[in-house]
């Protein structure tokens, strides 16, 4: 087992390089001799989540369970558990952990993101707006995606597009912001722009943000259905 400083340095380097598979391999090797090491468990959980294979999310939950067993108020691990449960559509469980997170750090930006995301998913726009107002005062950049989602819910398409684009200026490989932008452009009937955003994202980040391949396939299908439903006279 490597000493803690070297461990952190190694994991920090791999994280900066976004080498998530290597992080998992490194953690597994070292967890054999120290199965409850919090640094390793956190790194493995985050790397597994970032890779994004839903069948592997059980590994994320196993890691966060071990972490929270040792450190029940570890806010970072609570948030990861909430995000993972939501990805698995286990929203009732996510809400329970979110309430716990809120009791620990009510104004944590990531906690506010999760609360506003759940409210937006339930179309509780007015409540989401109040949460986002709090988040804007703390860290406006972290609010961009959900501000975009709120604007989209309210049919303010140009505002929504603005917020998704702003986030992508900050974090170019963010899948959620890119996916939302692609879908919104399609809804605005800007089909060429929509396809272009998806293809450019795949070109740059497809190797580790593979879900965009699926979105592009869906996009092409939806566009083909739109044109197939229109009369031939429209193109004559």
């Amino acid at each position: 087992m490597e000493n803690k400083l070297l461990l952190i340095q190694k994991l920090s380097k791999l994280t900066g390089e976004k080498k998530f598979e290597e992080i998992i391999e490194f953690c597994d090797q070292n967890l054999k001799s120290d199965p409850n090491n919090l640094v390793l468990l956190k790194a493995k959980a985050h790397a597994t989540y970032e890779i994004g294979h839903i069948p592997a999310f059980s590994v994320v939950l196993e890691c966060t369970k071990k972490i929270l067993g040792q450190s029940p108020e570890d806010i970072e691990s609570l948030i990861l558990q909430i995000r993972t449960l939501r990805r698995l559509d286990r929203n009732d469980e996510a809400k329970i952990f979110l309430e716990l997170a809120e009791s620990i750090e009510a104004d944590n930006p990531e906690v506010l993101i999760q609360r506003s995301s759940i409210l937006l998913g339930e179309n509780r726009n007015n409540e989401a707006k109040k949460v986002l107002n709090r988040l804007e005062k703390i860290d406006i950049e972290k609010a961009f995606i959900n501000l975009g989602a709120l604007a989209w819910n309210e049919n303010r398409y140009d505002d929504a597009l603005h917020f998704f684009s702003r986030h992508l200026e900050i974090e170019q490989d963010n899948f959620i912001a890119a996916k939302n932008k692609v879908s919104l452009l399609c809804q605005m009937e800007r089909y060429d722009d929509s396809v272009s955003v998806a293809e450019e994202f795949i070109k740059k980040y497809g190797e580790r943000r593979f879900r965009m391949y699926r979105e592009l396939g869906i996009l092409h299908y939806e566009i083909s259905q739109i044109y197939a439903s229109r009369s031939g006279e429209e193109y004559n």
Side-chain angles (χ1 to χ4, degrees):
M1 179 67 195
E2 301 185 37
N3 70 52
K4 187 173 181 179
L5 179 59
L6 290 176
L7 197 68
I8 293 172
Q9 289 175 339
K10 173 74 171 180
L11 290 169
S12 178
K13 182 176 183 295
L14 290 173
T15 301
E17 296 170 349
K18 299 186 184 294
K19 295 181 177 180
F20 301 121
E21 290 85 358
E22 289 187 34
I23 291 173
I24 294 170
E25 183 179 351
F26 177 80
C27 290
D28 283 340
Q29 290 175 351
N30 285 279
L31 282 167
K32 291 176 184 177
S33 59
D34 191 0
N36 294 313
N37 185 288
L38 290 176
V39 174
L40 293 170
L41 289 169
K42 288 182 182 182
K44 180 178 178 178
H46 281 282
T48 304
Y49 183 89
E50 286 297 326
I51 290 173
H53 293 292
I54 286 180
F57 281 1
S58 59
V59 175
V60 180
L61 296 177
E62 287 172 10
C63 290
T64 54
K65 182 179 179 180
K66 287 184 178 181
I67 295 164
L68 294 170
Q70 299 180 65
S71 182
E73 295 191 354
D74 188 306
I75 194 71
E76 184 181 354
S77 296
L78 273 171
I79 291 165
L80 181 58
Q81 185 150 14
I82 294 161
R83 293 172 67 195
T84 305
L85 289 169
R86 289 185 58 232
R87 283 285 306 278
L88 293 169
D89 292 323
R90 292 163 59 178
N91 292 317
D92 289 341
E93 293 173 76
K95 290 178 184 178
I96 293 170
F97 285 103
L98 180 56
E99 288 177 3
L100 175 58
E102 288 172 329
S103 71
I104 298 168
E105 288 188 33
D107 288 328
N108 182 297
E110 297 298 331
V111 171
L112 294 172
I113 289 171
Q114 294 306 311
R115 174 56 69 189
S116 59
S117 295
I118 287 173
L119 291 169
L120 288 167
E122 296 173 347
N123 290 316
R124 294 161 64 183
N125 293 340
N126 289 334
E127 294 169 79
K129 194 176 296 185
K130 292 177 182 178
V131 176
L132 288 169
N133 285 340
R134 289 166 57 195
L135 179 56
E136 283 184 89
K137 294 174 183 177
I138 298 168
D139 190 340
I140 190 170
E141 291 183 353
K142 288 186 179 295
F144 284 153
I145 290 179
N146 281 359
L147 285 171
L150 175 63
W152 197 353
N153 280 0
E154 295 177 339
N155 298 322
R156 294 185 286 113
Y157 297 148
D158 288 338
D159 289 340
L161 187 61
H162 166 77
F163 285 122
F164 297 145
S165 298
R166 285 291 304 278
H167 190 94
L168 287 167
E169 290 172 6
I170 300 163
E171 187 184 4
Q172 295 180 0
D173 65 341
N174 185 283
F175 170 75
I176 298 300
K179 173 181 177 291
N180 287 352
K181 184 172 182 178
V182 166
S183 298
L184 177 58
L185 286 167
C186 181
Q187 188 169 338
M188 295 170 74
E189 298 188 356
R190 292 173 56 180
Y191 304 126
D192 288 345
D193 290 338
S194 181
V195 170
S196 177
V197 171
E199 289 180 340
E200 186 64 22
F201 189 88
I202 287 171
K203 181 179 177 181
K204 291 181 178 178
Y205 312 112
E207 185 175 343
R208 53 187 169 80
R209 292 285 186 260
F210 57 88
R211 284 187 287 164
M212 189 57 81
Y213 285 101
R214 179 177 180 273
E215 297 302 320
L216 182 59
I218 292 171
L219 178 63
H220 279 300
Y221 175 77
E222 289 179 347
I223 293 172
S224 70
Q225 292 297 104
I226 290 167
Y227 280 102
S229 68
R230 295 177 177 173
S231 64
E233 289 79 7
E234 186 173 344
Y235 305 104
N236 292 335

